[in-house]
């Protein structure tokens, strides 16, 4: 069973709570606090597995949880970190937040490993809270909570070229002729239920990957027939070969068919109709009256629009070589980087967008500006400041929450130090 969509639930690990304890040793009448810190919760990590090509496994397992951090112990013992959970997916899997449908990560191109949710930080034990006036603190910090999300996984086939067209126009036959792919072929609609990939090898030219994807029908953009299951797979392709039954063997008008398919592409995503197209006018072997050839009619309609038309026969091979070399030329004129969908949803934002309090003030003893509060602590715990995206998110957070504005009201200047829970930053506009 080929599966290209799945809904799953993921949860990172909760940070272990800090511990409250005091030294209890012989001849030490007033031992100080020795409560250990809690362990870090495990992360939720997605990795690309080259051996997978469907999302079938996710039909059987729908919940994935990382391990919780262990509570701190006595004698300053730190709790054990929770185990990360590694989720393996095929290359081309797009991970979306389920309710909004926004992209969190696209496991394509250089994205081979993504930490989707970070585990909660462990809480500090009571040893951290001893002061000259409070030598026996009975308070420890709780671990940060776990993060959880419902995800929609979508597998979008990675191919340079996509074959589009109504059912039974000869897409599978063409694919089997030009590649080593062997799709099952029969004479009924929706024969091809799964995307089939094949590699086209060309003499004296670079090859390319071609995908025969389930046939379209009118209304597909609204989900009729295979609908979105088809259209999803051509979003990554760079060039579309639009195959049409030029012989009209099923009584269809090839020009009307081309317009109908393009309308479905437009309805689904305007970007699909912007992709370069070439028309393969197929089934030339079935034309019995050369005087009534529809090729000129198709050319007159579409070549003025910049769409070249090639008469071909997927059965005999007529015209196929010319078509493939033209497609290679089209690909050479385009950017060869893979299409990777940009991140639209940031789990950290959802977490940091809480109403928990924070405070901004100037520490006159340390000559530092201080930002603190549960909201700040939580944000720092889940944000990877070492990554470019993480630091950009951190800066946006400071701006969007009004923290930068409050610092400026306090008179902060460039080069001044801002302290947040043990981390210090130089302020620059």
């Amino acid at each position: 069973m080929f599966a290209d969509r799945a809904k799953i639930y993921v949860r990172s690990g909760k940070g272990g709570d800090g511990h409250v304890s005091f030294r209890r040793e012989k001849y030490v009448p007033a031992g100080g606090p020795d409560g250990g810190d809690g362990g870090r919760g495990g992360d939720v990590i997605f990795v690309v597995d080259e051996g997978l090509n469907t999302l079938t496994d996710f039909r059987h397992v729908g919940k994935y949880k990382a391990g919780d951090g262990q509570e701190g112990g006595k004698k300053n013992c730190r709790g054990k970190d929770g185990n990360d959970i590694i989720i393996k997916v095929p290359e081309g899997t797009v991970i979306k937040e389920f309710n909004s449908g926004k992209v969190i990560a696209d496991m394509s191109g250089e994205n081979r490993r993504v930490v989707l949710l970070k585990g909660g930080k462990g809480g500090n034990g009571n040893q951290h809270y001893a002061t000259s006036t409070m030598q026996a603190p009975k308070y420890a910090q709780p671990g940060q909570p776990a993060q959880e999300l419902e995800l929609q996984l979508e597998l979008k086939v990675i191919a340079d070229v996509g074959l589009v067209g109504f059912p039974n126009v000869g897409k599978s036959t063409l694919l089997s002729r030009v590649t080593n792919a062997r799709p099952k072929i029969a004479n009924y609609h929706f024969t091809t239920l799964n995307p089939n990939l094949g590699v086209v090898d060309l003499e004296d030219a670079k090859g390319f990957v071609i995908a025969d994807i389930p046939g379209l029908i009118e209304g597909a953009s609204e989900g009729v027939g295979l609908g979105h299951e088809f259209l999803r797979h051509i979003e990554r392709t760079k060039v579309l070969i639009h195959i049409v039954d030029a012989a009209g063997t099923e009584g269809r008008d090839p020009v009307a068919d081309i317009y109908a398919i393009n309308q479905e592409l437009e309805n689904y995503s305007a970007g699909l109709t912007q992709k370069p197209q070439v028309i393969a006018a197929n089934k030339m072997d079935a034309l019995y009256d050369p005087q009534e050839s529809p090729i000129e009619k198709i050319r007159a309609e579409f070549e003025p629009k910049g769409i070249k038309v090639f008469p071909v026969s997927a059965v005999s091979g007529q015209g196929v070589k010319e078509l493939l070399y033209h497609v290679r030329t089209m690909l050479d004129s385009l950017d060869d980087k893979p299409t990777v969908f940009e991140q639209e949803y940031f789990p950290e934002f959802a977490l940091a967008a809480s109403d928990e309090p924070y405070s901004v003030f100037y520490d006159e003893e340390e000559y530092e500006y201080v930002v603190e509060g549960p909201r700040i602590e939580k944000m720092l715990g889940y944000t990877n400041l070492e990554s470019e995206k993480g630091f950009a998110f951190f800066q946006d957070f400071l701006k969007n929450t009004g923290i930068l504005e409050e610092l400026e009201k306090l008179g902060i200047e460039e080069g001044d130090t801002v302290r947040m829970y043990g981390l210090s930053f130089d302020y620059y506009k």
Side-chain angles (χ1 to χ4, degrees):
M1 171 62 182
F2 179 87
D4 64 359
R5 298 186 79 189
K7 177 185 176 183
I8 65 170
Y9 164 88
V10 294
R11 172 190 175 277
S12 64
K14 174 189 177 301
D17 295 337
H19 190 68
V20 176
S21 62
F22 300 92
R23 289 173 60 194
R24 292 289 181 264
E25 298 178 30
K26 210 171 184 180
Y27 310 118
V28 183
D34 70 350
D37 300 343
R40 179 189 63 84
D43 298 337
V44 176
I45 303 171
F46 280 79
V47 298
V48 170
D49 185 335
E50 305 289 351
L52 296 176
N53 54 22
T54 79
L55 299 175
T56 301
D57 292 347
F58 296 99
R59 297 286 176 90
H60 309 297
V61 180
K63 292 186 177 181
Y64 298 84
K65 298 180 181 180
D68 293 337
Q70 192 178 50
E71 182 184 355
K74 299 177 180 179
K75 299 182 180 180
N76 300 327
C77 287
R78 185 179 183 279
K80 183 180 178 182
D81 291 341
N83 293 325
D84 297 335
I85 186 165
I86 309 292
I87 303 175
K88 297 178 180 180
V89 294
E91 183 176 8
T93 300
V94 179
I95 304 167
K96 297 182 177 181
E97 196 275 325
F98 182 79
N99 292 315
S100 66
K102 292 183 177 180
V103 175
I104 302 176
D106 182 353
M107 305 303 291
S108 307
E110 297 179 359
N111 296 338
R112 318 305 287 180
R113 183 180 186 276
V114 171
V115 179
L116 198 86
L117 296 178
K118 288 178 67 72
K121 286 178 63 177
N124 291 330
N126 69 331
Q127 58 171 309
H128 293 276
Y129 300 103
T131 65
S132 57
T133 56
M134 173 65 73
Q135 297 184 5
K138 296 180 180 179
Y139 167 80
Q141 184 185 37
Q144 287 189 329
Q147 294 187 81
E148 57 182 5
L149 277 177
E150 283 191 323
L151 304 176
Q152 179 77 52
L153 306 183
E154 295 184 355
L155 179 58
K156 297 175 186 278
V157 167
I158 298 176
D160 302 304
V161 178
L163 304 180
V164 301
F166 274 94
N168 294 342
V169 294
K171 297 191 305 299
S172 296
T173 304
L174 180 66
L175 185 77
S176 63
R177 168 164 287 278
V178 302
T179 75
N180 59 0
R182 293 293 176 264
K184 293 180 180 178
I185 301 169
N187 188 30
Y188 53 91
H189 284 200
F190 298 120
T191 299
T192 307
L193 295 178
N194 305 338
N196 288 293
L197 291 180
V199 177
V200 175
D201 293 317
L202 299 174
E203 288 185 24
D204 304 321
K206 185 180 175 183
F208 54 86
V209 179
I210 192 167
D212 159 35
I213 303 165
L216 268 175
I217 60 173
E218 291 178 83
S221 56
E222 280 76 50
V224 176
L226 293 176
H228 294 151
E229 280 69 14
F230 162 82
L231 291 161
R232 179 181 307 116
H233 289 295
I234 60 175
E235 289 186 275
R236 290 194 198 275
T237 57
K238 295 182 173 63
V239 171
L240 300 180
I241 298 178
H242 198 139
I243 303 184
V244 64
D245 178 0
T249 57
E250 294 191 349
R252 305 181 64 90
D253 177 2
V255 171
D257 278 2
I258 294 169
Y259 279 119
I261 294 294
N262 281 338
Q263 187 60 54
E264 292 304 319
L265 300 180
E266 175 75 27
N267 291 345
Y268 180 74
S269 170
L272 295 185
T273 53
Q274 303 304 313
K275 293 180 184 291
Q277 277 192 32
V278 59
I279 294 173
N282 192 28
K283 303 192 180 182
M284 297 307 295
D285 55 293
L287 284 173
Y288 299 107
D289 186 355
Q291 303 302 319
E292 295 295 322
S293 173
I295 298 301
E296 293 310 316
K297 179 183 176 184
I298 299 172
R299 279 181 170 150
E301 186 70 29
F302 294 102
E303 289 199 343
K305 296 179 171 65
I307 303 174
K308 196 164 177 60
V309 178
F310 285 84
V312 301
S313 168
V315 172
S316 70
Q318 173 191 347
V320 170
K321 184 177 179 180
E322 292 80 359
L323 169 69
L324 296 179
Y325 275 96
H326 178 73
V327 168
R328 179 67 262 175
T329 302
M330 295 172 72
L331 289 170
D332 289 339
S333 68
L334 302 171
D335 187 351
D336 62 357
K337 290 183 179 178
T339 301
V340 178
F341 297 98
E342 289 294 321
Q343 185 172 7
E344 302 170 320
Y345 183 93
F346 296 82
E348 302 95 332
F349 270 118
L351 185 75
S354 65
D355 294 326
E356 292 177 298
Y358 65 87
S359 59
V360 181
F361 61 91
Y362 182 67
D363 184 340
E364 296 185 356
E365 292 185 6
E366 299 292 336
Y367 302 105
E368 292 179 335
Y369 292 85
V370 180
V371 182
E372 62 182 20
R375 188 173 180 183
I376 308 304
E377 185 179 14
K378 191 178 289 187
M379 182 274 295
L380 286 172
Y382 290 122
T383 305
N384 180 10
L385 297 177
E386 295 179 4
S387 76
E388 187 176 339
K389 281 187 177 179
F391 195 75
F393 158 73
F394 167 72
Q395 291 178 308
D396 288 340
F397 171 83
L398 296 180
K399 181 180 179 181
N400 295 335
T401 52
I403 291 172
L404 292 182
E405 186 178 347
E406 292 193 38
L407 287 169
E408 289 172 357
K409 286 180 181 178
L410 290 173
I412 196 169
E413 296 182 357
E414 289 202 2
D416 288 347
T417 300
V418 180
R419 187 175 77 241
M420 300 183 191
Y421 288 96
L423 299 174
S424 294
F425 307 90
D426 291 332
Y427 174 79
Y428 290 100
K429 279 193 173 183

